[in-house]
Structure formats: C-alpha cells, structure tokens
C-alpha cells in the first residue's frame, strides 16, 4: 500500500490502522497530530481508523516559533 | 494584582515570548523562565519521518501543564492553510483553543495579509477558537478583527524579526484607545526600551521572540524584558507627567536661593 506522508510517497505491506502506522514510524509516545486526506484524526480513533491506498497524511509536531 | 485577562483567563505576566531561534531547548527553557512568561508561542510543522526517533520534543522541554502554549500559523500565506494548521494544533494540544493567527502576505517583509487574516479569523471564531490575531497597525482592521470576535489584537510595531522598534506609536495609540479587548504589540520589539514604550502607551502586553533569542545573552535579555514590561505597565498606571514643550520648570523651590548682593565674586 502506498501512502503520502508529509509530502513523501512511502510503501507499506498490507492494510494497517493509523495506530500501526505510528508504531511503524516509531512515533508512538510522541506528541503529534495527524490529518488524513484533509481531515483531522482524533487520537482516540487511531486504533480503529484503517488507512487506504493513496491516503494523504500529515503528521505534525510543535516546534520553536514566535 | 493587575492581571492581563485574555478570553476570561487571568495572567500575571504581560510578557509573552516565542520559542524560536534558540540554540537548544535548554536555552529556550532558561530564557522562558527568566522572562516570567506564562503564554509561549509555538509553531506547527511536519514531523521528520524516519529521522532520529530520540530527537527532543519542544513539548517535553515546555510542557502544556506548566505553560499556556499558543500555537501560531507562522509561514501561512492563505486563510485555508492557517485554519488547517490551527485545527491540527488544537488536536495536538488536546482541545486547547487559544491560538495566534497570522496570515502573511509577503515573503520579503512578512507583512500580514489583513484580508486573508479577517477571513481566517471569521472561520476560527465560528469553530470555537479563541483567536489572538497578528495584524498591521491599521486601526480599522483592528476594529474589524475585534468585531469578528478575536480575543486579543496584536498589531506589529515594525517588521517581524527586524528589531526596529515602535515605528508608529500614533497608530498604536488609536488602536489601544478604541479596543475593548487586550492589545499586545507583536513583532518589531528590538530591546527593552521598545517594550517599555509600548507598555507606557497603554498596550496590555508584549509578544516578542527575536529580541530575546537574538540577544548575545538571551537569558539575561529575557530577564531585562520582564522588568521593562513591568516598568512600562507601572508607568502607564501611574500616569506620566504632561509634556511641556520648550517650557522648563525647576524642580527646586525658587524661594531662598542664595544670591550675591554685590557683583563681586570671590576668586577661588
């Protein structure tokens, strides 16, 4: 399955949930927020939301800024 | 107590600081602490995928349990991008709705696009955000933003990161006089005197990043900035003396001055 994450195309084996993707990217326990195809995914939905072919994801963090 | 009240919440510090441009999070934390700021701005960016999983996180250095984090929309040039960024920020910060909106209009000057800012503010207020809004020092635009429901108006003093100080105190004064929500100078403060001048004018607070982070000793400058904001606020409350143009007025009594009765002055 191909996903676009933060503008980059990435390939993954088989179907997976948002939670599984986060673990795959070693982002568990990180303070992040995720948008899928322009919609925010609430944290509570990570285990149940299954990703589909071609989904566009944005994974964001807080950084220093003014 | 003379708290700064934003959207019903009281803050004892009238200095808000940014967290960008520091050497590392240790320095950021030390400067924030020295500034006494309770509200600190953060930017929202894509996370680095697959790079250094142990990379330190800003929110670990400055946890939301200790500070009021104010996510910004720095780098957004459309209302759509700004709204999208703040929706993500709200999810990141567990439903926290106090945000700093800025929609830029020009990459060279970073001047705000006030039309797009008004558009974004309208959407965000409808969605329940408490919007502190960066804008130009145009009093009419400031009024419109207040009418939309923004909880604080944050006009620039001069260009973002320029350190050029308060270029148009007259416009700021008009905005302050007409506002019914807090007015904070955001952008342009270069050193402590700029902050003091803004506070003396009656600004409710100051938001600065580069004046502190760009100083040779950021932590010391943060401490100085805290004092300047406090001093400027106190001076505003105390009410300065009237300016008397070309009119000297001695501070010492005119009576009892020792005068010579003759024109002879002893040689010494």
């Amino acid at each position: 399955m191909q996903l676009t994450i933060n503008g980059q195309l990435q390939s993954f084996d088989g179907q997976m949930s948002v939670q599984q993707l986060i673990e795959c990217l070693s982002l568990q326990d990180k303070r992040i927020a995720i948008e899928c195809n322009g919609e925010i995914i609430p944290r509570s939905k990570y285990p149940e939301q299954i990703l589909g072919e071609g989904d566009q994801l944005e994974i964001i963090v807080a950084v220093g800024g003014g | 107590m003379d708290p700064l009240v934003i959207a019903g919440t009281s803050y004892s510090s009238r200095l808000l600081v940014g967290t960008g441009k520091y050497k590392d999070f240790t320095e950021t934390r030390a400067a924030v602490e020295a500034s006494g700021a309770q509200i600190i701005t953060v930017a929202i960016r894509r996370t680095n995928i697959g790079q250094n999983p142990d990379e330190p996180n800003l929110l670990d250095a400055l946890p939301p349990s200790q500070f009021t984090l104010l996510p910004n929309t720095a780098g957004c040039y459309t209302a759509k991008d700004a709204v999208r960024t703040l929706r993500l920020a709200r999810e990141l910060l567990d439903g926290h709705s106090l945000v700093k909106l800025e929609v830029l209009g020009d990459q060279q000057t970073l001047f705000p696009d006030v039309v797009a800012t008004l558009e974004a503010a309208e959407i965000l207020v409808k969605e329940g955000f408490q919007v502190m809004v960066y804008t130009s020092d145009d009093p009419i635009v400031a009024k419109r933003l207040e009418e939309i429901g923004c909880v604080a108006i944050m006009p620039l003093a001069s260009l973002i990161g320029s350190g050029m100080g308060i270029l148009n105190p007259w416009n700021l004064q008009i905005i302050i006089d007409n506002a019914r929500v807090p007015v904070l100078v955001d952008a342009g403060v270069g050193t402590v005197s700029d902050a003091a001048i803004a506070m003396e004018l009656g600004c409710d607070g100051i938001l600065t990043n580069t004046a502190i982070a760009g100083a040779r000793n950021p932590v010391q400058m943060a401490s100085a900035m805290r004092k300047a904001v406090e001093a400027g606020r106190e001076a505003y409350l105390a009410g300065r003396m009237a300016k008397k143009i070309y009119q000297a007025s001695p501070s010492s009594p005119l009576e009892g001055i020792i005068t010579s009765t003759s024109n002879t002055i002893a040689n010494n």
Side-chain angles (χ1 to χ4, degrees), chain B residues 91-211:
Chain B
E91 173 62 21
L92 177 71
L93 299 172
D94 303 316
H96 170 84
S97 59
L98 188 70
V99 295
K100 171 180 163 179
L101 170 66
E102 58 181 291
V103 187
L104 304 176
D106 176 54
Q107 298 205 349
Q108 193 64 41
T109 60
L110 302 179
F111 258 122
D113 179 336
V114 293
V115 177
T117 302
L118 286 160
E119 191 189 327
E122 199 136 17
I123 297 167
L124 291 165
V125 169
K126 276 193 189 129
E127 292 188 9
F129 285 92
Q130 295 171 323
V131 181
M132 300 177 70
V133 60
Y134 171 65
T135 183
S136 66
D137 61 4
D138 181 325
I140 307 304
V141 173
K143 200 72 206 159
R144 294 282 175 273
L145 288 165
E146 181 182 327
E147 285 163 2
I148 284 172
C150 292
V151 299
I153 308 299
M154 305 203 291
L156 53 79
S158 47
L159 303 186
I160 293 174
S162 72
M164 290 170 71
I166 317 287
L167 297 188
N168 194 340
W170 308 102
N171 272 30
L172 284 181
Q173 191 72 71
I174 296 169
I175 293 172
I176 293 163
D177 290 349
N178 289 321
R180 271 176 258 126
V181 294
V183 175
L184 293 88
V185 155
D186 179 6
V189 169
T191 186
V192 295
S193 49
D194 299 331
I197 288 167
M199 294 306 291
E200 287 170 34
L201 288 173
C203 271
D204 297 280
I206 302 288
L207 171 46
T208 185
N209 190 151
T210 313

